[in-house]
Amino acid sequence: LLLPRVCAALADPRQPGSDDTCLEKLLDWFRTLTEFDPSVKLLQDNPCLTEFITSVLALPEPSPSILSFTLRLAGILAASESRFQHLQQEKLLVMLFGGDGPLSSTVWEDASVRSGWVEGVHSMMQHQLALHFICNGGGMDVIFALQGDPSLFVASAASRLLVHMLILSAESETTKHPSTKDCDWPACAQMIIKHIEDSLQSNSASHVEQSLKLLTSLFGSCRSTWTEVLWLGIAKQIESFLTEKTVQVQHMLASLLLNMAWSPVFCESEGSFWALVTSALERLTPVQAGPLAVGLLRLYKCPQDVRIQALTVLLQPMDCILRAASQPLEHAGLLDESVSDPAAVESLLSSKSSCASLLCQTLAHLEKLLCLIHLPVDLPYASLLRSLVTILQFCNGFLSPTSPLGSTISRILINCFRVQRSALDVLAALSERIGCDTLIGSLFDVLLAYLESPNTSPTVLKKTFQATSKWLVRLHEVSCSNSQWQQTQKILEDVFLVLQKRLCSPCWEIRDSSLEFLTVLIKCLRDQDEFRQSLLSSEVPRLTENLLEDPESYVRASAVIAVGHLAFITYFAPESPVVGNQYNKENTVAKLQEILSADPEGFPRRAVISIFTKWLRQGCTGPLEDTEQFVSRVIQTVEYDLDWEVRLGGLELVEVFCSQTICQLGPPECSYSPVSSAITSSVHQNKLLQVFCRAKLFRFLFRSLCDCDKPVGQRACDILLALRGSFYPISTLKDSQEAGDSPAGPSIAWLQRTLRQGSLAQDFPSDGGNGVDFGDPESMLLALGTIDLEELHDELNKCSDHVEKSPQSLLQDILATVGTIEENEADCY
C-alpha cells in the first residue's frame, strides 16, 4: 500500500525533493529483495515500479537526484535476466541508458546523473544480455569518455565498471584460451582491450594514466590466466614508459607491477615480467621505487635476485646516512653496491624539500617489514640500528659530521619531528630482532639524551618512551644471558632520574606520557629485582601518587593506572620492602575510592574501577570477608555514577567476584570461570547467596537491567543468566518458574513487570520497596528462577532502531519527507 504512494510522490515534480539518505536506504532494500529472487515476480506484483520509471522519463526537467535514483534502481532491477527482459520489453532500459535518454539532455551535466548512470550499468552487468546491450548500444564510448570525467567519483566508477565488464566478457564468453589475436577475444573484451592499447600508445598523459589505473585494478582483482595474454600484448609499451619517458607516468608503474607480482599468474612465471620489475627498481626514482621494493620484500615467491635488489633499493637512503655521517667510514655500511645511481639518493637527501619525505617513506616501509612475524628476507639489523641512531643524532644536533653531505643533512634534519617520530617507531620495532645487542650502550645514550632534552617535543617524547620501554625489556634479556648487571642497573637509574623530572613537567601531555611509560615498565619488568630496587629507591612512586591530584583529568587517570600497577610491587608483593606497608596500602585504597566517588571527570573514575577489577582478578583484595566488603563499597559507589562506562566497569568487577566466590565456596571441581555446572549442595548455595546479598550484588544487577545505556543492561543480563545457571539445574528451572506459592511471589512478579519496562522504568525499587527484598537470599533465588531472563536478553540485544529499520518505516519516512503525510515526523537518520 505504501510503495505505490512513495513512487507517485517521488515522480511528482511538485513535491519537494526527498532526503538522499532515505533514497539510499530504499536502494539497499531493493538490493536485498532482488539478491535472492531473480524472477520477474517483483515487477509483476509491483507495477508501480515500472510506472515510476516511465513517469520520471516523461518529465521535461526531472530532478537530478530523482533521475540518478531512477537510473540506479533500474540497474538493480535489471541485474537478473528475467527482469532485464521485462524492462527491455517496456523500452525502459533504452530510454534510460541509450543515446536518446539522459545522455542527450542538459541534466547530464550534473555529476550525480552521470554517477547514477555508471552505477546503474554496473548493477545490471551480471549477465550477457546486459553486456551486449551496452556494447551494441553505444554505451562503451560513453564509459570510455567518463574515465576522464572531471568528477573523480564518476571517473573512478567508470574505471571499475570497465574492469568488471572485461572480466565478465573474457570469462563468460571465452570458449578457448585466447591468444594475442583480436579474433580470439569476445567482442566486448576486444573493444576494451583495443581502447587500453590505443590509450597506452597515445601521447596524452591523462589517457595513459586512465589505462594504467584500469590495468592496476584488473591485475589486482583478477587472477585468471587470460590476464597474461592481455599483458603480452602491452608489455613492450609499458616497458617503454621506463626507458623512453616521453610520457611522465612512471609514478604509476610501481602499483601496477606490484599488483602483478602478487598474482600467481605472474609471480610464478619465468618470463620477461621479472626482468621488467628489475628494470623498474633500477630506473624509477627512490621515492617511486620504495613502495615497489617493500611490496616485493613481503612477497614469499619473489625470486631471490629480485628480492636482494629490492632490499638494496629500500636500504639505500639509510646507507647514504651512514656514509654521510663519517668519512672515512668507521663501520661497515648497509650496502656493498647500489642498484640505482647513489647520486639520486644523495641529491634528494641534500634538498630541504625532499630529505624528510624520503626518510619518512623509507622508515615507514622498514617498520612495515619489521612488524611481520616471519620476514621473508634477512635485514642487516646491526647496521640498520646504527643508521637509526645516526638519524636521531642528526635530528637533535648531537652529531657534527665532517663531510659536506653530512653537514647538509644535519642542517636539514635538526629538530625535524616527522623524521624523529618515524625513526623511533622503527627503533621500537627493531627491539624484537636479534643481532643488535652490541650497540645497546650507544643506543641508550641517544634515548636518554632525547628523554632529557628540553627541545624534545611531547609527541617525540612519547615515541621515545615507547622505544625505551621496549629496549629496556630487551636489555633485561641480554643482561640475563651475559651477566651485564652493572650496565643494566646504571641505565635503569638514569631512566628513573629522567622520569622524576618529566613527572614534574609543566606540560600535562609530558606528565601523562611519563605515567604511561612507568605503567608499561611495571607490567613488563615488575618481577625483576634490579628494576624493583631502582624504582623504589627513586622518587618516582611518591611523585606518581602526588599526580592523583593533578588538575588535568587525563593525567589523574594515568596516575590511577600507574599507582594501581605500583601496588603490585609496593603492597601486594610477597615481601614488600615498603615501610608502613599496611598504612600506605589503606591510604592508597582510600585515595582511589575518593576519586571513584568524587572526581568530576569520567576518565579517572573509569581508571579506578579498572584497577580495582585488576586487583580482584589477581587476588590482591584479601580474604573473602574483606573482598566482600570491598566489592560492596565499590558497587554502592558506582551504582549511581553518571558515566555508563563506570557502571559497566562495576559490572565487570561483580562478574569477577561472582566467579571467584563460586569457585571458592562451590564444589571442589569448580574451575575459575563463569560457572556452567549447577551448585547442587544447599549448604554451598545458601553461603553463596548470603555473600552476594550482603555485598548488595542483586540490587545492582537488577537495577542495571533497566539502565538507560544498553551495554550496561546487556552485561547485567549476561551475569544474571550465568548466576541462574549456577543455582538452577535445567531440570529444576521450569518447576521454579511455575512456582508462585512463595510469600515473595507477588513482589517478584512486580519486579518482572518493572524489568520489562527496561530503561523506561521510573520507579525501580530500592531494598524493601514494593516488597522486593534484595538482601533476602530466598527472594533472590526465587527471582533468578522465575524472571524470564531470556526474554529480557533478547529485548536488550535488539537493535535500537529495529522498528525504524523496517521497510514500512522507511517508506513512511520518505512520504513524510516529501510532505504527503503530516502525522509521521520520523527522523530518517
Side-chain angles (χ1 to χ4, degrees):
L1 295 176
L2 286 172
L3 186 57
R5 293 167 60 195
V6 167
C7 290
L10 291 177
D12 189 347
R14 296 169 298 175
Q15 297 289 353
S18 181
D19 183 86
D20 286 344
T21 307
C22 282
L23 296 180
E24 289 293 337
K25 290 181 178 180
L26 189 57
L27 289 172
D28 288 339
W29 181 47
F30 279 115
R31 286 190 189 96
T32 305
L33 288 175
T34 57
E35 187 175 359
F36 301 106
D37 182 11
S39 71
V40 77
K41 189 173 184 297
L42 175 65
L43 293 176
Q44 292 172 338
D45 292 348
N46 298 278
C48 60
L49 292 173
T50 51
E51 291 169 5
F52 164 72
I53 297 173
T54 303
S55 299
V56 172
L57 287 169
L59 294 174
E61 293 183 4
S63 159
S65 64
I66 294 298
L67 182 55
S68 176
F69 168 80
T70 307
L71 288 162
R72 294 160 71 193
L73 173 63
I76 293 169
L77 295 173
S80 77
E81 293 188 11
S82 59
R83 288 192 300 269
F84 179 92
Q85 290 171 332
H86 181 87
L87 292 172
Q88 203 172 29
Q89 288 170 3
E90 301 282 337
K91 308 294 184 184
L92 294 179
L93 294 179
V94 173
M95 295 168 68
L96 281 169
F97 299 101
D100 296 330
L103 286 167
S104 58
S105 67
T106 56
V107 76
W108 185 253
E109 296 175 5
D110 192 292
S112 66
V113 175
R114 301 195 300 275
S115 177
W117 190 93
V118 174
E119 289 185 39
V121 173
H122 201 144
S123 295
M124 80 166 77
M125 202 58 60
Q126 307 299 324
H127 45 79
Q128 295 301 308
L129 293 177
L131 195 65
H132 295 153
F133 168 70
I134 293 297
C135 290
N136 299 333
M140 296 305 300
D141 290 335
V142 178
I143 302 172
F144 294 151
L146 289 176
Q147 274 190 290
D149 196 271
S151 167
L152 294 178
F153 294 104
V154 176
S156 178
S159 183
R160 290 194 301 271
L161 174 57
L162 284 173
V163 171
H164 179 70
M165 293 178 70
L166 177 55
I167 294 173
L168 179 65
S169 176
E171 296 190 351
S172 59
E173 293 187 304
T174 302
T175 57
K176 61 179 182 178
H177 190 77
S179 71
T180 53
K181 296 179 181 179
D182 289 346
C183 59
D184 293 325
W185 292 102
C188 183
Q190 188 173 326
M191 290 175 68
I192 298 174
I193 292 170
K194 185 177 186 308
H195 170 72
I196 292 172
E197 292 173 345
D198 291 345
S199 297
L200 291 175
Q201 291 169 7
S202 73
N203 293 322
S204 168
S206 62
H207 288 170
V208 175
E209 287 183 3
Q210 290 165 17
S211 286
L212 289 177
K213 285 179 183 177
L214 192 157
L215 290 168
T216 301
S217 177
L218 173 68
F219 290 128
S221 58
C222 184
R223 302 290 190 254
S224 300
T225 53
W226 60 263
T227 55
E228 185 176 18
V229 180
L230 169 63
W231 170 250
L232 292 174
I234 59 174
K236 292 294 184 184
Q237 186 61 42
I238 299 294
E239 186 176 0
S240 71
F241 295 140
L242 281 173
T243 56
E244 298 174 10
K245 298 185 180 181
T246 52
V247 182
Q248 297 298 316
V249 291
Q250 292 75 25
H251 60 285
M252 301 187 65
L253 296 180
S255 297
L256 171 64
L257 294 175
L258 193 54
N259 278 5
M260 293 176 67
W262 280 87
S263 169
V265 175
F266 298 99
C267 74
E268 296 173 0
S269 68
E270 298 180 359
S272 58
F273 170 70
W274 289 113
L276 181 60
V277 172
T278 301
S279 176
L281 289 170
E282 292 174 358
R283 296 174 181 275
L284 293 177
T285 68
V287 174
Q288 295 167 353
L292 175 60
V294 73
L296 293 170
L297 290 172
R298 299 177 69 189
L299 181 64
Y300 281 88
K301 292 188 177 181
C302 180
Q304 184 64 16
D305 57 332
V306 178
R307 181 176 292 152
I308 293 172
Q309 192 168 6
L311 181 61
T312 302
V313 168
L314 184 62
L315 294 178
Q316 200 161 353
M318 307 299 286
D319 180 69
C320 189
I321 288 288
L322 273 181
R323 295 179 185 279
S326 58
Q327 290 185 355
L329 202 61
E330 297 177 3
H331 304 281
L334 277 162
L335 305 175
D336 296 325
E337 59 182 22
S338 298
V339 172
S340 55
D341 185 7
V345 175
E346 292 178 7
S347 174
L348 289 170
L349 291 177
S350 301
S351 168
K352 191 170 184 178
S353 62
S354 58
C355 178
S357 298
L358 176 61
L359 285 177
C360 286
Q361 175 183 284
T362 302
L363 292 166
H365 292 330
L366 286 169
E367 185 188 9
K368 189 182 294 184
L369 274 183
L370 290 167
C371 289
L372 294 177
I373 297 174
H374 300 293
L375 262 176
V377 63
D378 292 326
L379 291 172
Y381 296 120
S383 297
L384 184 56
L385 178 59
R386 189 174 287 112
S387 66
L388 290 169
V389 169
T390 303
I391 288 174
L392 290 171
Q393 289 174 323
F394 273 140
C395 289
N396 65 2
F398 290 171
L399 195 64
S400 301
T402 55
S403 70
L405 178 60
S407 300
T408 302
I409 294 174
S410 179
R411 286 195 302 272
I412 293 172
L413 293 183
I414 193 75
N415 290 328
C416 183
F417 299 153
R418 287 172 56 208
V419 175
Q420 287 174 334
R421 290 194 299 266
S422 298
L424 288 164
D425 283 337
V426 181
L427 198 62
L430 202 57
S431 65
E432 299 175 12
R433 303 292 173 175
I434 299 172
C436 307
D437 302 342
T438 56
L439 301 171
I440 280 184
S442 57
L443 166 65
F444 274 102
D445 288 342
V446 173
L447 289 174
L448 285 166
Y450 268 77
L451 292 176
E452 291 172 348
S453 174
N455 296 324
T456 303
S457 72
T459 52
V460 172
L461 183 68
K462 188 180 182 76
K463 295 284 188 183
T464 309
F465 276 138
Q466 291 169 352
T468 303
S469 63
K470 287 181 175 288
W471 278 99
L472 281 172
V473 174
R474 179 72 186 146
L475 175 65
H476 168 72
E477 296 169 356
V478 172
S479 61
C480 285
S481 61
N482 59 19
S483 303
Q484 293 182 347
W485 302 111
Q486 291 182 340
Q487 182 191 28
T488 302
Q489 194 74 29
K490 176 67 170 62
I491 290 174
L492 284 170
E493 289 172 1
D494 291 342
V495 167
F496 286 124
L497 277 174
V498 175
L499 188 57
Q500 288 173 188
K501 297 177 183 176
R502 291 300 190 179
L503 287 170
C504 301
S505 171
C507 175
W508 75 264
E509 290 98 333
I510 290 178
R511 299 196 301 276
D512 191 55
S513 297
S514 302
L515 290 165
E516 291 175 352
F517 170 63
L518 174 62
T519 301
V520 171
L521 288 186
I522 296 171
K523 285 180 180 178
C524 298
L525 299 171
R526 76 184 195 194
D527 295 331
Q528 312 308 321
D529 290 337
E530 67 273 15
F531 171 76
R532 291 198 301 269
Q533 291 169 7
S534 299
L535 173 59
L536 296 175
S537 61
S538 70
E539 292 292 306
V540 168
R542 180 183 63 82
L543 294 171
T544 300
E545 197 158 321
N546 290 346
L547 290 176
L548 290 173
E549 301 174 7
D550 195 274
E552 179 58 51
S553 64
Y554 290 109
V555 178
R556 293 198 301 278
S558 295
V560 166
I561 300 296
V563 166
H565 284 82
L566 264 172
F568 290 116
I569 296 175
T570 54
Y571 309 137
F572 302 140
E575 296 180 2
S576 176
V578 177
V579 180
N581 180 45
Q582 189 60 34
Y583 168 78
N584 289 332
K585 175 184 174 183
E586 292 173 358
N587 191 36
T588 299
V589 172
K591 284 183 178 179
L592 295 185
Q593 286 180 330
E594 175 68 18
I595 291 173
L596 183 61
S597 61
D599 197 292
E601 299 289 339
F603 295 110
R605 302 200 305 275
R606 294 177 200 169
V608 172
I609 196 66
S610 72
I611 282 298
F612 282 169
T613 305
K614 191 173 187 65
W615 285 358
L616 185 61
R617 282 188 199 280
Q618 303 279 334
C620 300
T621 52
L624 179 58
E625 184 178 345
D626 293 345
T627 300
E628 176 190 317
Q629 294 175 3
F630 170 74
V631 170
S632 180
R633 285 195 301 271
V634 173
I635 285 174
Q636 293 176 70
T637 303
V638 304
E639 186 174 8
Y640 299 98
D641 197 291
L642 296 178
D643 188 326
W644 71 270
E645 292 194 49
V646 175
R647 301 194 298 277
L648 189 65
L651 288 169
E652 185 180 353
L653 180 88
V654 165
E655 188 173 26
V656 174
F657 176 64
C658 290
S659 180
Q660 291 184 344
T661 307
I662 290 172
C663 288
Q664 192 171 343
L665 296 181
E669 67 272 12
C670 176
S671 61
Y672 182 86
S673 63
V675 179
S676 56
S677 59
I679 301 164
T680 54
S681 167
S682 60
V683 176
H684 289 139
Q685 194 177 80
N686 290 334
K687 281 184 180 179
L688 281 168
L689 286 168
Q690 288 170 9
V691 169
F692 293 159
C693 286
R694 286 197 303 268
K696 297 182 170 54
L697 236 69
F698 289 109
R699 184 186 72 179
F700 180 43
L701 287 170
F702 282 116
R703 184 183 186 86
S704 296
L705 287 175
C706 297
D707 199 282
C708 57
D709 288 287
K710 185 176 287 190
V712 177
Q714 290 170 329
R715 189 65 171 267
C717 195
D718 290 340
I719 297 171
L720 285 166
L721 281 167
L723 283 175
R724 191 185 68 182
S726 301
F727 288 109
Y728 283 99
I730 296 175
S731 59
T732 64
L733 181 58
K734 183 178 180 183
D735 296 336
S736 69
Q737 288 176 333
E738 294 174 352
D741 55 354
S742 168
S747 64
I748 299 304
W750 181 91
L751 176 61
Q752 169 133 328
R753 289 195 300 273
T754 303
L755 293 174
R756 280 179 176 149
Q757 298 175 42
S759 59
L760 299 177
Q762 298 295 321
D763 54 348
F764 191 87
S766 56
D767 281 332
N770 295 89
V772 181
D773 187 358
F774 292 106
D776 176 44
E778 184 181 347
S779 296
M780 292 301 98
L781 187 62
L782 181 64
L784 283 175
T786 57
I787 291 175
D788 192 345
L789 294 171
E790 281 82 5
E791 179 190 7
L792 293 172
H793 182 271
D794 293 343
E795 197 64 32
L796 285 165
N797 282 279
K798 280 182 182 176
C799 218
S800 60
D801 60 348
H802 65 278
V803 176
E804 287 74 15
K805 269 191 170 179
S806 67
Q808 179 181 356
S809 176
L810 173 60
L811 296 175
Q812 288 174 339
D813 282 352
I814 295 174
L815 289 174
T817 307
V818 297
T820 56
I821 55 176
E822 296 178 358
E823 67 275 9
N824 188 338
E825 296 181 358
D827 181 359
C828 67
Y829 291 100

